[in-house]
Amino acid sequence: MVDREAAARSVSAGLFIVAGSRDEADDEAGLMHLIEHMVFKGTPSRSAREIALTFDRLGAEVDAYTTKEYTAYTVKALPDVLLDAFDLLVEMVARPTFPETELIKEKNVILEEIRAAEDAPDDLVHELAAAAAYGKHPLGRPVLGRRSVIRAADRARLVRLHRRFYRPERTVAVLAGAVSAAAVEKAAARLAAFGEAGAGSAPAGGTQGPDGEASAPAPETGSAVSGRANKPAFEVAPTADGAGAPAPEEEPKEPSFAGGRRHRTRRELEQGHLVLVYPGLRAGHPDGPSWAVLNRLLGGSMAARLFQRIREDEGLVYDIYSYTAAYRDSGYLAVYAAMHPERAARVEALIAEEIRALIERGPGEEELEAAKRTLIAGYAFDLESTEARLERLAREAIYLGRHPEPETVMARYRAVSTDAVRKLAHRLLRPVGRAWVGPAVAGAERGGASWAARRDARRVRD
């Protein structure tokens, strides 16, 4: 039996708060993650327990996560309770109370989360890789935060950050799935109504509907450029010290690759974890489709070159893959490999060899077409998931300010050529960062002279 209506029976809604500092002196990233946790701990009219029970009574699934540039709050529900679930989501995001007793407990929870991440070498190595690439820039810092920052955080600072970033012009509201146009308009109106009467505005661009169509936004009360609003729609319960005045916005500071190596020696580990970082493209870059194809060819699947050569043909690794990270003004491609530490030098040499082959000859036509078909199919599959559509619509609103038609996106993948991939590989695939977690074995943690020589030689040629 084929149930053709299953995908149309639910709706996902989300609030995406754009907050990514470029100030090297700012420890914002970990604090935004702490705010994400604290938003669930109560509003002026509901306790943390009441929030959880209300979502359960609605049959709604709520979640949240923080990235280096935005925080997302999402809820999945049936259409008949959509507006109730959305109301509750907006209430807890807009008006958290940040109770002191809960803050003490949640700081301890996050410290345990940090310890858990550091105990997982295949997680830790990716954080070290970002730090190796970006150095002290905020993009090089862990989203979970640093222990010292979390321990020192107090309620007044969280209130200030909340009022600085949780503002209508920094918020994208998204609905995806079985939702009517009327429901989209009602959701936008309810979001606008939060805050002082008549003072709020809908998020920049309005509320996004299931097909990327934007409802008409409420009248603007502030400038999206400055990040200021006359009267914020988002509020935090007042404090005796009056904390909460919005801070002035800093000019974006474009990151540059600091380049370097980070390693963490672990005697108890049997396996080494390696990540090599290469320059990439910012989110929304015109060459994005070619970049996605390049990643797919190099290490984005089991059919990719690195997996086939280094795992299947040579049997040198347990796992190997590549992935991309894209931000508003920067990006990178990373290659991860897990192997016996004594094989690290050989694995690294083979990675360099496969990259060199892509640069010099590019992919074959059959290989290229397979990679493009896989990306197009993955994009089509995502259109059937309300959660994936929610994330896509939000990222498009944040990074593009528009919503390309699905056929346009697929056509751009189809148009990627062998020459475009080869030229992009030639321009960008030079190492700028290296991370290692594992036992100390004769230069495995530092990569030896060969890594630095390859990096410096490319810098000279470029």
Side-chain angles (χ1 to χ4, degrees):
M1 177 179 177
V2 179
D3 187 351
R4 301 183 184 278
E5 300 299 323
R9 289 180 183 158
S10 67
V11 59
S12 292
L15 296 173
F16 295 78
I17 314 297
V18 181
S21 175
R22 290 295 187 263
D23 183 352
E24 292 185 5
D26 200 337
D27 290 311
E28 169 197 310
L31 295 177
M32 296 305 291
H33 175 238
L34 178 54
I35 288 175
E36 174 217 313
H37 280 235
M38 289 300 299
V39 156
F40 288 84
K41 299 305 176 181
T43 71
S45 59
R46 303 177 201 260
S47 67
R49 179 177 177 82
E50 288 169 337
I51 289 173
L53 288 175
T54 304
F55 277 122
D56 267 8
R57 291 187 188 112
L58 293 172
E61 298 176 0
V62 65
D63 196 10
Y65 59 90
T66 298
T67 75
K68 293 186 179 183
E69 295 196 307
Y70 60 86
T71 300
Y73 300 91
T74 65
V75 63
K76 185 175 182 179
L78 296 176
D80 62 327
V81 296
L82 163 65
L83 293 179
D84 292 332
F86 186 72
D87 273 350
L88 180 54
L89 189 72
V90 173
E91 178 185 335
M92 72 176 203
V93 170
R95 295 179 175 178
T97 53
F98 294 142
E100 293 279 6
T101 54
E102 294 294 336
L103 177 59
I104 293 170
K105 290 187 289 185
E106 212 58 30
K107 285 164 68 172
N108 287 330
V109 168
I110 290 179
L111 290 173
E112 291 301 322
E113 192 176 357
I114 292 171
R115 293 184 186 103
E118 291 183 345
D119 281 346
D122 50 345
D123 286 342
L124 175 61
V125 71
H126 298 289
E127 293 290 358
L128 295 179
Y134 287 112
K136 294 182 180 180
H137 188 275
L139 290 179
R141 296 176 185 164
V143 170
L144 296 182
R146 292 177 287 181
R147 285 188 178 90
S148 59
V149 174
I150 299 303
R151 290 192 181 107
D154 58 24
R155 184 182 186 277
R157 190 170 186 190
L158 297 188
V159 168
R160 286 194 296 271
L161 278 175
H162 185 278
R163 291 195 175 179
R164 176 181 175 187
F165 291 116
Y166 281 57
R167 309 174 66 87
E169 63 273 21
R170 282 185 170 269
T171 304
V172 173
V174 185
L175 304 178
V179 56
S180 66
V184 172
E185 292 178 3
K186 288 179 181 178
R190 293 188 183 195
L191 181 64
F194 272 87
E196 297 180 14
S201 68
T207 302
Q208 307 302 326
D211 296 314
E213 296 295 330
S215 64
E220 292 288 340
T221 59
S223 167
V225 176
S226 70
R228 298 275 186 117
N230 296 333
K231 294 181 180 179
F234 291 105
E235 297 182 345
V236 176
T239 59
D241 60 10
E249 296 301 317
E250 77 282 354
E251 288 296 320
K253 184 175 183 180
E254 184 174 353
S256 59
F257 286 103
R261 294 171 287 195
R262 298 289 179 98
H263 69 276
R264 191 76 58 88
T265 300
R266 295 283 186 83
R267 293 181 180 179
E268 76 278 8
L269 297 178
E270 295 289 336
Q271 193 173 57
H273 301 265
L274 171 70
V275 173
L276 301 175
V277 183
Y278 306 84
L281 303 177
R282 61 173 171 79
H285 192 283
D287 292 333
S290 297
W291 186 238
V293 171
L294 172 59
N295 175 62
R296 189 78 188 183
L297 291 165
L298 183 62
S301 74
M302 289 193 299
R305 292 187 174 203
L306 295 181
F307 192 93
Q308 287 296 311
R309 174 75 185 281
I310 300 174
R311 168 163 172 158
E312 299 297 275
D313 294 347
E314 302 284 346
L316 293 174
V317 299
Y318 168 71
D319 195 12
I320 186 166
Y321 59 84
S322 67
Y323 63 92
T324 60
Y327 306 108
R328 71 175 185 254
D329 47 14
S330 183
Y332 64 83
L333 181 146
V335 175
Y336 166 83
M339 80 298 287
H340 190 283
E342 293 180 352
R343 296 174 176 170
R346 174 64 177 157
V347 168
E348 206 166 336
L350 289 176
I351 292 171
E353 190 175 306
E354 289 301 319
I355 287 175
R356 186 164 54 250
L358 265 177
I359 291 172
E360 293 175 354
R361 298 185 295 275
E365 286 299 327
E366 185 176 339
E367 180 187 21
L368 177 67
E369 289 305 312
K372 293 195 291 186
R373 281 197 300 272
T374 305
L375 286 168
I376 290 168
Y379 181 83
F381 297 157
D382 282 348
L383 294 178
E384 299 178 359
S385 162
T386 58
E387 294 94 332
R389 290 171 70 89
L390 192 79
E391 176 74 18
R392 175 177 63 81
L393 288 168
R395 286 184 61 85
E396 287 173 351
I398 292 168
Y399 293 117
L400 300 180
R402 57 188 172 80
H403 299 285
E405 291 295 328
E407 187 51 47
T408 300
V409 175
M410 295 181 190
R412 293 183 67 201
Y413 282 130
R414 294 188 191 100
V416 173
S417 67
T418 295
D419 193 50
V421 172
R422 188 190 64 78
K423 287 181 177 178
L424 204 57
H426 176 74
R427 178 160 63 95
L428 296 174
L429 290 186
R430 54 180 175 81
V432 292
R434 184 187 190 278
W436 169 267
V437 176
V441 175
E445 72 274 16
R446 293 192 177 276
S450 61
W451 176 79
R454 288 196 303 274
R455 178 195 60 188
D456 295 341
R458 287 303 305 275
R459 282 178 175 170
V460 171
R461 288 200 299 270
D462 292 345

